[in-house]
Amino acid sequence: MSHGHDDEVHIVSYASHTLVWLGLLMLSGLTVAAAGINLGDLNLLVAMVIATIKGSLVVAYFMHVKYEKPGLQSIILIVIVFMFVVFCEAFVDFGTR
């Protein structure tokens, strides 16, 4: 009996997860190193870029969004862009106070 689900099972290798984990560790080290460097107004930007890359890795690999259909990937991308716009507006507001 078919329930209309055409879901494919994606088995991700341990090597792939290990590489992503090592990348996350490297980016965490980069975050700590960047926090010790005084970049002036760029400190927040550098921290946000590194956090965005780390979050993207987690969403793509550990939440398996990389293997989803393009429609769902597009919706997730639209939400992320909307969140980026809202965060930028908040930072502009914060910077003008």
Side-chain angles (χ1 to χ4, degrees), residues 13-42:
S13 68
Y14 287 119
S16 177
H17 279 302
T18 302
L19 287 174
V20 172
W21 178 69
L22 289 173
L24 290 170
L25 283 177
M26 181 189 72
L27 288 168
S28 294
L30 185 62
T31 302
V32 171
I37 300 171
N38 185 10
L39 299 173
D41 292 339
L42 293 178

